[in-house]
Amino acid sequence: MAVMPVIGVVACIRQVGLHPYHIAGDKYLQAILAVGGLPLILPALGHAVSSESLLAQVDGLLLTGSPSNIEPHHYSGPADSAQGCSDPARDHTTLPTRLGWTLRPALTGAS
């Protein structure tokens, strides 16, 4: 049996009833499977886990779209430009990951 490359997908945090959950869209996971990869949902733990630790666990990373918007202070935008919901833990998990992707070459994005 061939070893499948592990492709990380950073989760969003969503409130379901009384509890927060780390979730990822099935279409992203299915797309990874369709090209022979093994999807691994990476929790949006923010400051609790370094980007380097997360990246060391995967062979590639799929940057997905999300209903949450990146908070404007990350790109020097005006505070009133934030529309919709935000997910600060996902921002903290994903943005350093995107900026620090010098550890490995496989990076792709999807919406």
Side-chain angles (χ1 to χ4, degrees), residues 22-67:
H22 293 259
I23 62 170
D26 184 62
K27 67 180 180 179
Y28 303 121
L29 308 180
Q30 294 300 324
I32 292 169
L33 285 171
V35 297
L38 178 64
L40 177 64
I41 300 172
L42 302 174
L45 297 174
H47 296 282
V49 177
S50 72
S51 297
E52 292 80 14
S53 295
L54 287 176
L55 291 175
Q57 308 306 312
V58 298
D59 299 306
L61 184 67
L62 177 66
L63 300 175
T64 67
S66 174

Side-chain angles (χ1 to χ4, degrees), residues 71-79 81:
E71 294 180 309
H73 69 87
H74 291 295
Y75 54 87
S76 301
S81 69

Side-chain angles (χ1 to χ4, degrees), residues 11-15 20-23 43-46 68 86-90:
C12 294
I13 299 177
R14 292 287 172 263
Q15 193 75 22
Y21 286 83
H22 293 259
I23 62 170
L45 297 174
S68 64
S86 65
D87 189 341
R90 184 175 191 270

